Amino acid sequence: MIYLGYPNYWGTMPMQVFTFLEHFDFSGKTICPFCTHEGSGMGRSEADIKKLCPGADVRKGLAIQGSFAAQAENELKKWAGKEN
């Protein structure tokens, strides 16, 4: 199980995350994406991950508004517990 965290930039992941996902084979792996954002939620990042990692099981992500990230510990724990 891979927890993939990133900030949502312009509706998706930063280019560095795209590069990381393009360079490895995630077939048979489970990817649990989560991001911070300032209004766009997960954007299209889940769909982008699915395109980049066609053999992976990409779970529903968790979007945390950046200005509330410091208070999101319980929400993150609840979400991560559901993924196990």
Side-chain angles (χ1 to χ4, degrees):
M1 185 161 304
I2 299 163
Y3 289 91
L4 181 66
Y6 49 88
N8 182 330
Y9 289 161
W10 297 99
T12 192
M13 307 167 289
M15 288 286 95
Q16 296 90 332
V17 179
F18 276 84
T19 300
F20 170 74
L21 295 174
E22 289 169 344
H23 281 82
F24 296 97
D25 180 8
F26 292 95
S27 296
K29 305 289 190 239
T30 299
I31 301 175
C32 303
F34 63 99
C35 72
T36 56
H37 68 92
E38 284 305 329
S40 56
M42 294 298 293
R44 65 181 180 278
S45 62
E46 290 167 312
D48 289 338
I49 295 167
K50 289 176 183 178
K51 285 181 199 172
L52 292 165
C53 306
D57 174 18
V58 180
R59 301 284 174 91
K60 180 169 175 41
L62 173 66
I64 299 169
Q65 189 152 352
S67 55
F68 297 107
Q71 295 84 28
E73 183 176 351
N74 288 337
E75 183 180 6
L76 184 59
K77 285 180 180 178
K78 182 179 174 184
W79 171 79
K82 289 181 181 178
E83 300 303 321
N84 293 324

